[in-house]
Amino acid sequence: MNGSGRNRTRNSFNLRRRLQWVGLALGLCSVSLVGRAAYVQIINSDFYQRQGEARYLRELPINTSRGMITDRNGEPVAVSTPVASIWVNPQELLRSPDRIPELATALGMPLDELSSKLSQKSDKEFMFLRRRINPDDAEKVVALKIPGVASQREFRRFYPQGEAMAHVLGFTNIDDRGQEGLELAFDEWLRGKPGAKRVIRNRKGETVESDLLRPAEPGKDLTLSIDRRIQFLAFKELRSALIANKAAGGSMVIMDVATGEILAMVNLPTYNPNSVGGTAPDTRRNRAVTDLVEPGSTMKPLTIASALQTGAVTKDTIVDTNPGYMAVGRYTIKDVPRNNGVLNVTGVITRSSNIGAAKIAAKMPDQVFYDSVHSFGYGSQPHSGFPGESAGVFPRPARWSGPSKTTMSYGYGLNVTPLQIATAYSALGNGGKLIAPTFVKGQHNEGKQIIDEKVAKEVVAMMETVVTQGGAKGAAVLGYHVAGKTGTARKAGPGGYVPGHYNSLFAGVVPASNPRFATVIVINDPQAGKYYGGLVSAPVFHNVMEGALRLMDVPPDDIDAWLAAQQSGKMGHAASSLPTPPMEALMAPDAAAEFDAALPSAHATLPPAQGGTQ
């Protein structure tokens, strides 16, 4: 009895102890759970809130349309069209591997390629599958309700003018960011600001609720100074000239003399900005802005203008170019094909005399000559705002060698871009006022008076004789006075100037009495037999300016010629109404500046003093 009682007492005690321990354990668990809940709900609530939202809540960008680019008349030249992009959450799709073949078929992708991409991005929650496709096609893919697959609205750039305006506009990448040309220069202006929205999705990935966080701001439109009609005309005529002359390439720039606005800028070869992939990078370069050429005889009007401005000569100064050649150190420069004899300053321009230009330049101190030519923009960036524009190469006097100033006076030993030549000639046509070029309509930069208006008008009058009496008769436009200068500069290679390879140039202003347009044409390496600027480039000036003057309603300034043509019934195409000058007349003045003459490439033995021309 006593033993059994003690056993019952002991068992009761053990049971109570056990119940106490269990109760204590449960109490501790309860406290732990309450503490954990407090920690999660109060102390670390932000973290778990973010984790929960990450599974059902998304902040998505709202893509915005890039601003439209128009020409000066409001015609679209670059527009953004809505497209769709298919994307996927790889983690979600990989949980339904049986749907992957269906998706591959819908996208037109090889199954192994899609599976490989999903495997590589298996730890990601976002991956593009197809970019910039037709919205209707994207909707068909989304309608399959494949887990993790959705579409996103984007925009794609389209260029209606295609190749004709490719180098001016440039293009955008797949993210609609400007990569070249004005698309790059004005990228921030055109791009706009994307918006954002918060969406809540169910377990199937379907959006059940959305909330706008930030509205999208569309990009701003941009109105260019370019006239697409003149641009296309220039493109067509330059292309025809390259084909006819079997040339490697060419550039053309047309500027509004009074404002500095660029009305057209064309380069060949070109590319299609709507399909950039696979095109050679070399074709995408805007040669009119980046590539350098020696200006050849187009330099002579600037040399003459500098001498007139500094008082070194007057328009009536006599320049003796006899006997048609001149020694400069160990080199000899010459006029070809003949000795031009005694000329006045106008005759130096008309006959394109190297000797005349060299003797006139010699009348100016080196620094004075450099400063004057430099004021026309040679050796400085044009400040057009175009990406990658070149400053050219115009060495300072400290770096000149013996013949440097002599050869630079007629266009060798310095390098410029077609845009720089156009800007300089625009200053001559604008009464001596240099205005930085611009691609934006209405952005009139402040002009700088670099030479007297009287001097500028005298030089323009001299350049008229090149078209009426000299080597640029092919540039004449019926009813208008044309002032210009030809150039035929040898092309430089690794070992010096390359025989048989030239750049053919023409630069001019029209109408000469009150210039409206300054135009430069550079044709690279014509190989069809003709290479003089008067034969190759001047006719392009005629063809383009004849159309541009009419398109812009510029009144004729040569009424007598206009009326005479009306009376004779020759008001058709000016090319048929103008007489074709003899070959010798076209060649002679231009040839003087442009050939093996005047190039300090090798020692030449002087002929006897009474010898003939070379």
Side-chain angles (χ1 to χ4, degrees), residues 44 128 191 193 220 272 278 360 406 445 454 486 498 606:
N44 203 27
F128 276 119
R191 192 168 65 231
K193 296 180 180 179
K220 302 180 184 68
N272 184 359
I360 289 173
T406 299
N445 298 317
K454 178 184 176 182
T486 55
V498 183
L606 291 175

Side-chain angles (χ1 to χ4, degrees), residues 69 77-78 159 165-171 180-184 224:
I69 303 178
V77 295
Y159 303 96
M165 209 175 288
H167 292 106
V168 172
L169 296 175
F171 56 92
E180 297 281 355
L182 298 180
E183 289 277 29
L184 174 60
L224 301 183

Side-chain angles (χ1 to χ4, degrees), residues 12-52:
S12 299
F13 176 77
N14 291 336
L15 180 59
R16 287 196 299 270
R17 292 288 299 272
R18 289 174 182 173
L19 291 174
Q20 289 174 351
W21 282 109
V22 169
L24 179 61
L26 291 173
L28 290 175
C29 288
S30 299
V31 171
S32 176
L33 289 173
V34 171
R36 181 63 179 170
Y39 175 78
V40 169
Q41 295 294 327
I42 299 174
I43 300 175
N44 203 27
S45 60
D46 291 343
F47 171 79
Y48 289 97
Q49 184 72 23
R50 288 195 301 269
Q51 291 298 306

Side-chain angles (χ1 to χ4, degrees), residues 281-418:
D282 183 61
T283 64
R284 303 199 294 261
R285 189 175 70 252
N286 189 342
R287 296 167 179 81
V289 175
T290 63
D291 284 19
L292 303 179
V293 297
E294 288 184 299
S297 285
T298 63
M299 175 69 178
K300 288 173 183 170
L302 305 190
T303 299
I304 301 301
S306 300
L308 291 170
Q309 178 66 26
T310 59
V313 297
T314 68
K315 65 177 182 177
D316 298 318
T317 297
I318 299 301
V319 183
D320 188 355
T321 69
N322 285 303
Y325 54 84
M326 184 174 72
V328 180
R330 64 189 185 91
Y331 303 111
T332 299
I333 64 171
K334 54 187 176 181
D335 286 342
V336 292
R338 63 178 64 86
N339 176 15
N340 289 305
V342 178
L343 301 170
N344 60 16
V345 173
T346 299
V348 172
I349 292 286
T350 310
R351 303 300 302 172
S352 195
S353 171
N354 292 336
I355 306 298
K359 287 189 172 183
I360 289 173
K363 296 177 179 291
M364 292 177 280
D366 291 354
Q367 191 63 47
V368 171
F369 174 70
Y370 172 83
D371 289 342
S372 182
V373 174
H374 184 66
S375 70
F376 281 94
Y378 286 9
S380 301
Q381 287 185 327
H383 301 293
S384 68
F386 198 92
E389 64 178 10
S390 175
V393 178
F394 185 36
R396 294 182 177 276
R399 298 175 55 194
W400 293 355
S401 61
S404 290
K405 185 168 75 170
T406 299
T407 59
M408 284 191 291
S409 70
Y410 51 79
Y412 284 99
L414 73 162
N415 290 273
V416 295
T417 65

Side-chain angles (χ1 to χ4, degrees), residues 41 106 116 120 137 150 229 271 284 288 361 397 399 498 541 595 609:
Q41 295 294 327
S116 175
Q120 293 172 5
D137 295 336
R229 303 167 301 172
Y271 67 99
R284 303 199 294 261
R399 298 175 55 194
V498 183
F541 178 94
F595 294 49

